[in-house]
Amino acid sequence: MEKKIFDKLGVLISTSGTVYNVDTIKEFIDYVAKIGYNTFYLEITAGYEIEDEPFFAYMRGKYNKAELKEIDAYAKERGVTVIPTIQTLAHLGFMFRWPKFFDYRDIDEIMMVGDPRVYELVEKMIKLMAECFSAKIIQFFSKNGLTFVNSMIY
């Protein structure tokens, strides 16, 4: 009998450049399940809709809440846990094209830490992920110069 070394074994699929349709994501999940993996990191970066934030991911490929829930339910049926991977404070340059977010910028593609509006937006991101995914884990990417990868279990 093989000794289990890792609790999670899976892959990360990035949709930051190409937002795959839900059927394609399901196909990826099927592959993950067939090879015996149990984790599917879905890097959606900022490719999702946030309620009451019409300019977040405006004019970009994105998933809506129903699609994210559908992906999670599909994976769960196959014994695969979906862990969303999102950007929270950096690499959000697309937002700064829109007047609503002009004042959220610190430098380059980085949001202004300390601004209450930034924290409110990040809280909306986290709440949406918590609502859509059953894993209760969110992978945060916040890169600029150095790479930081943090997980939050909520």
Side-chain angles (χ1 to χ4, degrees):
M1 177 178 237
E2 288 185 27
K3 181 180 175 187
K4 186 176 179 181
I5 298 173
F6 299 105
D7 290 331
K8 292 182 184 81
L9 187 59
V11 299
L12 181 142
I13 298 295
S14 176
T15 65
S16 61
T18 301
V19 176
Y20 301 103
N21 66 44
V22 173
D23 288 336
T24 300
I25 294 295
K26 288 178 178 180
E27 197 174 324
F28 284 133
I29 291 167
D30 287 338
Y31 292 136
V32 167
K34 284 178 185 173
I35 61 174
Y37 289 9
N38 63 1
T39 308
F40 184 80
Y41 289 87
L42 181 61
E43 183 187 350
I44 50 178
T45 306
Y48 52 92
E49 294 177 351
I50 297 178
E51 196 172 315
D52 300 325
E53 294 293 347
F55 287 101
F56 184 84
Y58 182 65
M59 296 182 68
R60 293 174 55 94
K62 58 188 163 280
Y63 298 104
N64 62 40
K65 188 187 300 187
E67 290 170 324
L68 295 175
K69 288 181 176 185
E70 180 181 347
I71 290 166
D72 185 67
Y74 186 86
K76 196 172 185 179
E77 289 172 0
R78 284 147 184 80
V80 176
T81 300
V82 177
I83 298 176
T85 302
I86 62 173
Q87 296 284 350
T88 52
L89 295 173
H91 289 281
L92 297 169
F94 65 89
M95 289 176 23
F96 303 130
R97 292 183 228 165
W98 310 112
K100 179 190 187 327
F101 295 115
F102 285 171
D103 294 337
Y104 286 50
R105 172 186 264 155
D106 183 2
I107 59 169
D108 301 323
E109 295 187 342
I110 302 171
M111 291 204 292
M112 180 71 72
V113 174
D115 186 324
R117 296 170 302 168
V118 168
Y119 296 126
E120 289 169 14
L121 180 60
V122 170
E123 186 173 341
K124 287 179 182 181
M125 295 173 184
I126 293 168
K127 284 182 177 179
L128 177 68
M129 296 301 117
E131 183 180 337
C132 294
F133 295 97
S134 58
K136 304 302 177 208
I137 299 171
I138 302 170
Q139 189 82 25
F140 296 102
F141 278 100
S142 186
K143 332 184 258 192
N144 206 17
L146 297 173
T147 301
F148 301 97
V149 181
N150 300 307
S151 292
M152 176 181 147
I153 300 174
Y154 52 92

